[in-house]
Amino acid sequence: EDITSDHIMLSMISSLKLQLMAKYTIGNCCSNFHLLLFHFLQSGCGAAQDNVGQCLQENEDAEFRLCCAWGKSEECTAKAAAVEKERQRLLNNSTNATNK
């Protein structure tokens, strides 16, 4: 089945409605959708009058802490370097396997 703009809009509205029902919200604040959601919740648009929101970028547990693509902190730079190193390792392994 082809996905139309109507399908996408229905999915977005359904997701937004479901997320507005929560008392606790955790979001990726690199995402404009989550920033919009937090704005609605902080403005009192959600079902809970005292919604508690947290960005994953501010999570206490480093394992769950996200970095935005434009993040320049030491932690984000180190994570990006580790991801690139692993990507290069996998690429080299793939290239070596193809050449055999």
Side-chain angles (χ1 to χ4, degrees):
E1 178 181 332
D2 291 334
I3 297 176
T4 67
S5 58
D6 288 340
H7 290 110
I8 294 169
M9 186 57 74
L10 180 61
S11 175
M12 191 275 303
I13 296 294
S14 299
S15 175
L16 181 60
K17 181 179 180 195
L18 180 64
Q19 292 181 57
L20 287 173
M21 302 302 284
K23 177 170 175 59
Y24 300 98
T25 307
I26 297 175
N28 171 6
C29 290
C30 300
S31 158
N32 286 331
F33 180 81
H34 288 136
L35 292 174
L36 177 66
L37 174 66
F38 282 158
H39 179 73
F40 285 155
L41 292 168
Q42 291 167 355
S43 299
C45 294
Q49 291 185 358
D50 56 346
N51 179 275
V52 177
Q54 181 189 29
C55 293
L56 283 170
Q57 289 73 10
E58 300 165 0
N59 195 294
E60 293 176 9
D61 188 340
E63 184 176 350
F64 299 110
R65 199 174 309 128
L66 294 181
C67 293
C68 297
W70 52 88
K72 300 295 182 204
S73 69
E74 284 184 36
E75 180 182 10
C76 291
T77 304
K79 280 184 178 183
V83 167
E84 180 59 23
K85 183 177 180 180
E86 179 65 9
R87 189 183 75 76
Q88 287 295 327
R89 185 187 70 77
L90 293 171
L91 183 63
N92 289 338
N93 288 347
S94 174
T95 303
N96 292 338
T98 303
N99 291 336
K100 287 185 180 181

